[in-house]
Amino acid sequence: MSTRALAMITFAASLTGGVAVWTRNAPVMAAEAIPIDADDIAGVVTGPGGPEAGVWVIAETTDLPTRFVRIVVTDDRGRYLLPDLPGATYAVWVRGYGLIDSRRVTASPGRLLDLGAVAAPDARAAAQYYPAGYWFSLLRAPAPAEFTGAAAGNGVAAKAKSQAEWLRNLKSGGCLACHQLGSRGTREIPAALGTFGSSVEAWHRRIQSGQAGSNMLSGAAQLGGDKALAVLADWTDRIAKGEVPPAPPRPKGLERNVVITEWDWADPKAYLHDEVSTDRRHPTVNANGPIYGALELSADYLPVLDPVKHVTSRVELTVRDAATPRAAAPAVPFASAYWGDEAIWTSRNNVHNPMLDEKGRVWITSAVRPPDNPPECRAGSSHPSAKLFPIEKSYRHLAMYDPATRKLTHIGTCFSTHHLMFAEDARHTLWTSGGGPVVGWLDTTTLAETGDEMKAQGWTAIVLDTNGNGKRDAYVEPDQPLDPAKDRRYGGGGFYSVSPAPDGSVWGSVLGFPGAIVRLVPGPNPAETALAEVYEPPFDDARAPVHGYSPRGMDVDREGVAWVALASGHMASFDRRKCKGPLSGPTATGRHCPEGWTLYPEPLPQFQGVADSGSAESSYYTWVDQFDTLGLGSNVPIDTGNESEGLLVLKDGQWVVLRVPYPIGFYTKWMDGRIDDPARGWKGRGLWSTVSTRAPFHMETGKGTTSKVVHFQMRPDPLAK
């Protein structure tokens, strides 16, 4: 370095109070005069070719009560600004496509900090920072011909009759429903598993590891057993030999305006399913308040984060009946590469989904007693719903935690629960999924007034108006012939997700192949009057321009349009206002309105050997930002982007990818949006999410990694303070 260049850097740094950083690969000039506050860090990222646009700058600290990370993206001139950092000492570095991580620099808020980006030495080194879905797209799915004719006898078609159904079993119905495929923890075979004669043997041993071993082995059987192992072995063998995926595009446009904040919570042996920050109907409820999580079958507490003080805590959970069984199998059939023979999941409550009400109380789906139902739920009961459809067992129920009193209330339901969401009605009705042949609800006002859980709850069979007279009549069972004088009970499956709409209807998704979405109109007395409409996605329908299949999580916007994540690698919308034919009657079989569907391929490459529309993506859930909590407009649908490692925002028909680049492996199953202060612009609003993989130890930081609370905010530009 010349004496004059060094003097220039030293002089500029002294003028700004900043720091000039040199790297071996990229000499960096001092930061431009970017206006900052005392709690900001800002500067310019420069690489060998000049300013680096669309790369991430990451600041991490362990000085606060829990680990804290803030991430921003550089603008088109390589400039960045990390805003509103709590007082602490941070490690700051650069990560981006085409790069390897820069040296971590120690810095404190209130200073300018230029950073040097380091170019990746080769394509394989660069690819280590790509989202899991790019690696997953290298998988070679069985060819369509393997599912037909004599070829189908090879075992791959034992549970799937087409390539699309096989992919559904892999994605929405199997592996990806619990964790990513394509992360480094899955695309490589852990050495700790031992030595094997072939990669097929290694995969067979691997999927039997830990408490989920029997479930994973069953999932492999759904994919053709030996064929599934051969496909996975071929995938990891090719990667081990050096095959790399195509490079993703760097963040651009609105993607550069995101500010991502992370906090550690829970513990390394637990995994999160969902979080909740506010009342879906009124997103200013619980402003600046705690975030609550749900640990599913891993542990019996609600993790809690105070995002203002950066403090985590717990709400301990109990069950009503000590005989309530544990949710996870205690046996470990084969040792885990991470936890050995230890059974790390211990929950009885098996909390799946939390929601806040208008008072900030936390409602959860939770087991509170053993599955056998009391007499009030069964045949012979006088309960109005039991008279019409008695239920013998329910495996998960409800509970409510009141932060004001710190009291947990158990609520035994006759129907099983999975997801839950409040309706916009005077009774604050809580609708649930997971009931199989029935949809259940809880009148929370009646429960508060009477304390009588049986009086407050009800459920209804899912009945289609197949005679088309507009009212619910006696019905035939799903396996019986149509009767022109009767309706028919739907037999395609129960609600997986549940979404009450502003018009009073309640929508739900139905898993399977090709799956469906259902619109339920409760009527004045739902147990007796509820009627349903069913709509299958346009799989293999010549009338539809794009084909898709197998819904998972879905939501409804303020206009009554349903938005749903499909296993085919699409986000789909369904607008029943576009239907040309009757919505009930004998012809309304589920495939009667292809014109109501619009499919948007998600932004990842497609699998090798798959010619259909879609991608290797498999979003777990679609959530609609009804009240503009993110700042990109009302009624904006957002997918969880489980293979993209971020949130996929569909804005005006175009994708905005909000990737979480650190630690690599972000995978979430839910989000919600909260407005803390509508007068503070972008700083007063944002989306909340959590890391939801069952295997946080597959993430970049390995064993010991905890779940994270993740906050997404959208600035008007990349340098907004």
Side-chain angles (χ1 to χ4, degrees):
M1 181 193 304
S2 71
T3 304
R4 182 173 182 275
L6 179 59
M8 288 176 63
I9 292 172
T10 305
F11 177 67
S14 67
L15 287 177
T16 61
V19 178
V21 178
W22 277 80
T23 71
R24 176 174 55 85
N25 303 70
V28 181
M29 298 306 292
E32 298 182 23
I34 303 170
I36 63 171
D37 295 328
D39 55 2
D40 303 332
I41 296 176
V44 180
V45 176
T46 307
E52 292 281 359
V55 299
W56 295 282
V57 177
I58 304 166
E60 179 179 37
T61 185
T62 56
D63 290 352
L64 302 174
T66 191
R67 184 188 305 271
F68 177 93
V69 177
R70 183 152 288 161
I71 304 170
V72 296
V73 186
T74 59
D75 70 3
D76 59 355
R77 296 162 62 185
R79 300 176 298 175
Y80 75 91
L81 189 149
L82 288 156
D84 300 340
L85 293 167
T89 300
Y90 292 85
V92 184
W93 73 98
V94 178
R95 172 170 288 184
Y97 301 140
L99 308 176
I100 59 173
D101 278 2
S102 69
R103 177 172 63 88
R104 296 190 178 202
V105 179
T106 300
S108 299
R111 306 192 67 182
L112 292 172
L113 176 67
D114 284 349
L115 298 168
V118 182
D122 52 48
R124 188 169 182 82
Q128 303 308 311
Y129 300 92
Y130 296 173
Y134 281 80
W135 291 95
F136 188 41
S137 72
L138 297 178
L139 184 139
R140 290 174 180 160
E146 295 188 59
F147 298 89
T148 60
N154 63 10
V156 69
K159 298 292 184 180
K161 304 305 178 187
S162 66
Q163 184 188 65
E165 188 174 2
W166 190 90
L167 288 172
R168 181 267 162 184
N169 289 346
L170 174 68
K171 295 164 83 177
S172 181
C175 309
L176 266 68
C178 293
H179 58 77
Q180 282 175 343
L181 282 178
S183 64
R184 189 167 186 176
T186 58
R187 67 178 183 260
E188 298 177 358
I189 303 294
L193 285 182
T195 303
F196 303 93
S198 69
S199 296
V200 169
E201 291 180 12
W203 268 101
H204 189 245
R205 166 65 176 80
R206 177 186 210 167
I207 63 174
Q208 298 178 80
S209 302
Q211 282 174 274
S214 59
N215 291 355
M216 290 190 287
L217 193 62
S218 175
Q222 296 280 23
L223 295 166
D226 291 344
K227 180 64 177 182
L229 298 176
V231 168
L232 292 167
D234 170 73
W235 174 56
T236 50
D237 282 349
R238 286 185 287 112
I239 289 172
K241 292 176 182 177
E243 189 169 342
V244 296
R250 285 186 176 182
K252 59 186 184 301
L254 292 171
E255 296 169 353
R256 295 181 180 177
N257 297 350
V258 70
V259 177
I260 297 171
T261 308
E262 303 173 9
W263 297 261
D264 281 13
W265 68 343
D267 67 82
K269 295 181 181 179
Y271 72 87
L272 268 288
H273 193 279
D274 290 348
E275 59 68 44
V276 67
S277 70
T278 189
D279 181 351
R280 167 59 185 270
R281 304 160 298 175
H282 309 288
T284 57
V285 168
N286 193 42
N288 297 303
I291 313 300
Y292 299 91
L295 294 180
E296 205 176 37
L297 54 75
S298 58
D300 283 336
Y301 65 89
L302 302 181
V304 184
L305 169 74
D306 180 336
V308 176
K309 297 180 179 179
H310 317 292
V311 172
T312 61
S313 58
R314 300 181 177 190
V315 174
E316 299 295 337
L317 298 175
T318 59
V319 293
R320 177 183 292 173
D321 187 333
T324 305
R326 297 197 184 277
V332 177
F334 288 88
S336 161
Y338 303 90
W339 302 103
D341 294 323
E342 183 182 2
I344 61 174
W345 299 334
T346 60
S347 174
R348 299 183 191 275
N349 292 95
N350 196 16
V351 176
H352 189 80
N353 188 208
M355 286 285 162
L356 290 191
D357 66 12
E358 72 286 354
K359 297 180 180 179
R361 298 175 299 185
V362 188
W363 295 80
I364 55 178
T365 54
S366 171
V368 303
R369 57 170 172 78
D372 288 340
N373 274 339
E376 293 87 349
C377 307
R378 302 179 180 182
S381 169
S382 61
H383 189 283
S385 295
K387 285 181 179 180
L388 297 170
F389 204 102
I391 304 176
E392 294 296 313
K393 294 179 181 290
S394 56
Y395 294 89
R396 190 192 276 124
H397 317 99
L398 293 170
M400 184 269 288
Y401 173 71
D402 187 344
T405 62
R406 298 186 179 181
K407 178 183 177 182
L408 180 71
T409 301
H410 301 126
I411 306 161
T413 57
C414 299
F415 47 87
S416 293
T417 66
H418 197 66
H419 292 103
L420 72 173
M421 191 175 286
F422 284 98
E424 297 181 27
D425 61 12
R427 307 299 297 178
H428 301 290
T429 306
L430 184 63
W431 288 87
T432 70
S433 70
V438 303
V439 179
W441 65 88
L442 184 76
D443 181 333
T444 62
T445 301
T446 295
L447 182 67
E449 292 172 347
T450 68
D452 188 335
E453 67 185 23
M454 289 305 302
K455 185 176 181 180
Q457 69 179 278
W459 60 93
T460 179
I462 305 172
V463 179
L464 305 175
D465 183 17
T466 48
N467 64 19
N469 66 359
K471 64 185 182 69
R472 177 150 147 189
D473 302 301
Y475 55 81
V476 298
E477 290 299 315
D479 59 349
Q480 295 175 336
L482 285 178
D483 183 330
K486 294 182 178 181
D487 293 328
R488 187 175 198 169
R489 186 168 69 83
Y490 178 60
F495 277 23
Y496 169 74
S497 63
V498 63
S499 299
D503 66 359
S505 62
V506 181
W507 291 76
S509 57
V510 177
L511 303 182
F513 186 86
I517 61 175
V518 175
R519 179 176 185 262
L520 185 76
V521 180
N525 182 15
E528 297 180 355
T529 59
L531 279 173
E533 303 163 2
V534 60
Y535 303 98
E536 294 182 6
F539 168 68
D540 199 24
D541 193 321
R543 299 170 293 174
V546 181
H547 297 162
Y549 50 85
S550 298
R552 199 166 180 93
M554 65 163 289
D555 202 359
V556 183
D557 68 22
R558 304 301 299 174
E559 303 299 321
V561 177
W563 295 86
V564 59
L566 300 181
S568 50
H570 299 90
M571 176 191 284
S573 67
F574 179 78
D575 188 345
R576 65 192 291 273
R577 297 171 298 185
K578 296 180 179 180
C579 297
K580 298 176 181 178
L583 303 182
S584 62
T587 62
T589 59
R591 308 197 75 179
H592 55 292
C593 184
E595 62 273 14
W597 292 90
T598 303
L599 273 59
Y600 303 88
E602 293 174 303
L604 278 181
Q606 183 58 285
F607 290 109
Q608 295 187 6
V610 177
D612 293 339
S613 172
S615 74
E617 184 58 87
S618 181
S619 291
Y620 192 91
Y621 224 100
T622 302
W623 181 84
V624 177
D625 189 2
Q626 295 185 357
F627 300 106
D628 191 21
T629 59
L630 180 59
L632 293 182
S634 300
N635 277 342
V636 172
I638 307 173
D639 271 353
T640 51
N642 299 88
E643 286 293 299
S644 299
E645 299 187 6
L647 302 183
L648 305 179
V649 183
L650 189 65
K651 171 67 173 171
D652 300 325
Q654 301 296 317
W655 291 109
V656 178
V657 180
L658 304 181
R659 184 180 176 201
V660 179
Y662 172 80
I664 295 170
F666 176 75
Y667 169 110
T668 191
K669 294 183 175 181
W670 177 252
M671 72 198 83
D672 71 340
R674 186 171 77 186
I675 299 174
D676 293 318
D677 185 348
R680 294 194 68 213
W682 71 270
K683 291 189 178 184
R685 61 184 63 224
L687 299 185
W688 295 89
S689 187
T690 187
V691 171
S692 302
T693 173
R694 289 196 183 190
F697 39 83
H698 284 171
M699 298 179 73
E700 170 185 359
T701 41
K703 183 179 178 180
T705 301
T706 69
S707 178
K708 322 288 181 186
V709 177
V710 185
H711 192 207
F712 297 82
Q713 295 173 288
M714 294 297 293
R715 297 188 279 191
D717 65 77
L719 298 183
K721 293 190 290 181

